[in-house]
Every structure is written in C-alpha cells, then in structure tokens.
Amino acid sequence: FIIISPPKPGGFDLDHDEIKNILHNNGVVVGFKEDTLKKLIDYPNYNEPILIAEGKKPENGKDAVIHYNFNVNKDEIHLMEEDGKVNFKELNIVQNVVAGQILATKELPTEGESGRTVTNKMLPAKSGRDTNLYPGRNTKLTEDGLNIVAEINGQTYLIGSKVVVDPVYTIQGDVNLKTGNILFLGTVVVQGNIEDG
C-alpha cells in the first residue's frame, strides 16, 4: 500500500516513473497494479492507503482421490421405482460386476504452484499427497496403476481399503423381504429357507 500526501503550494503530483522508483527503492519489484497506478496519476487520491502492488499466494496441490464405481456402504439400500411405485423386493443389495469391469479409479495428486511476495521472495507451495489403490481377491491393478479391475464375475465390496470380488454370495438366514430378490452373477448359498414369494 502507498499513501500519497497532497502537494504543498508550488509543489506537483508525483508522476508514474517517480512512484515506480519509490516502490523500487523500497524493495517492491513485482506485482505492480498498473491500472491502479494510471488511475492514481489521472485522479490522485490523497491520505488514503492504496493497494499498488500485490504478491501471488502459493496454491497447494490437490491430494490424490480414489473414485469407487460401486456403492462402498454395503448397508445402504437403493430401492428402484417403477411407474411411481416402489418394489420392496428389489433392494439391489448385491453389486454385480463382470470380469474386466473397472471398480476403482485413482485421480493423481497435483503439483503446487509457488507464489511470490512483492519483493520477489518465493513462497513455496505443497504438492498434493499421493494415495494407493489396494486390489484384493480376484481384482488387479491396471499397468498404469490408476485402475482396479475385476478378474472374475461376482459381487464387489470393500474390506478395509481393499477392493474385493467374491464369486459366492452367502445369505446368513432366510431369503425374504429383508433380503429382497437375489440377482447374482455367481453362486448363491442360502443358509436358511427361501420363503414364499
């Protein structure tokens, strides 16, 4: 910021080069606001702080992000509507996948962009943190390391941070309205009864 005093009788307003020289002599070498300076020459503004030069803030990089192409919360139920009616037998609990299907994708971290002060001192920026993809049973990483794909047909879910595909779907109790209809690309093991309907 600069503050300009009005000229005394017989004095003159500062010109463009004089203001620039004063700034240079005080160590201000980058970030000049030329538009503000031109406006100040044409329409002087006295005894008020005026923003005349501004540094550039550093911008930190973004962290790596993993996008899962399936619902990672197994307990969430997604009811399907048909003609405005909800079919409570279609709970869509099982998440079927086929061999070769992409299950998770990694978005790479970005580099930070350094900033500068008005005195041309560098302000370092932090790069985004990386994270890893963890393939589990019956899944694999692509060669570029950015995707996890299914190796077999089955259901997919997360165990900790590992993406897993299981060829067997086990129902601990009975098949009823609580489980809904079972549509699965693999073997279904029912440890209870299959109720009517």
Side-chain angles (χ1 to χ4, degrees):
F1 290 87
I2 59 169
I3 298 173
I4 298 175
S5 302
K8 300 279 191 257
F12 297 95
D13 281 317
L14 296 170
D15 67 18
H16 181 279
D17 291 338
E18 287 172 324
I19 293 174
K20 273 249 179 141
N21 286 336
I22 291 166
L23 291 169
H24 271 287
N25 292 338
N26 284 278
V28 179
V29 290
V30 292
F32 293 111
K33 293 189 166 291
E34 287 290 344
D35 292 347
T36 304
L37 191 53
K38 284 176 187 169
K39 189 176 173 186
L40 198 59
I41 301 302
D42 296 335
Y43 307 100
N45 195 354
Y46 303 118
N47 298 323
E48 280 185 28
I50 298 154
L51 182 63
I52 200 71
E54 194 169 21
K56 183 179 179 295
K57 285 183 180 178
E59 287 183 28
N60 292 335
K62 292 181 183 173
D63 293 345
V65 179
I66 296 175
H67 301 284
Y68 295 101
N69 300 328
F70 60 94
N71 182 17
V72 294
N73 186 354
K74 285 196 304 188
D75 299 327
E76 256 182 41
I77 293 173
H78 295 279
L79 295 168
M80 297 284 281
E81 282 190 38
E82 284 181 30
D83 303 325
K85 294 179 182 176
V86 175
N87 183 349
F88 286 98
K89 290 183 181 177
E90 298 300 332
L91 301 180
N92 299 301
I93 293 171
V94 182
Q95 298 188 80
N96 286 302
V97 294
V98 294
Q101 185 174 333
I102 296 173
L103 306 176
T105 303
K106 178 168 117 173
E107 191 179 318
L108 290 171
T110 59
E111 293 292 319
E113 200 174 314
S114 298
R116 296 245 172 225
T117 67
V118 291
T119 57
N120 207 19
K121 180 183 168 194
M122 194 179 93
L123 300 170
K126 294 178 184 171
S127 294
R129 288 188 310 242
D130 200 3
T131 189
N132 291 321
L133 284 170
Y134 297 101
R137 282 190 323 271
N138 303 314
T139 63
K140 66 177 180 181
L141 272 177
T142 52
E143 282 183 30
D144 59 10
L146 298 178
N147 297 295
I148 293 178
V149 295
E151 292 187 301
I152 61 168
N153 295 351
Q155 66 166 327
T156 187
Y157 50 89
L158 276 181
I159 297 180
S161 54
K162 286 188 176 182
V163 179
V164 173
V165 174
D166 205 333
V168 178
Y169 180 57
T170 303
I171 297 164
Q172 302 294 335
D174 298 339
V175 174
N176 50 28
L177 272 176
K178 189 177 175 187
T179 63
N181 291 335
I182 307 299
L183 176 65
F184 182 56
L185 303 174
T187 305
V188 179
V189 175
V190 180
Q191 294 182 339
N193 298 315
I194 298 176
E195 294 183 5
D196 291 348

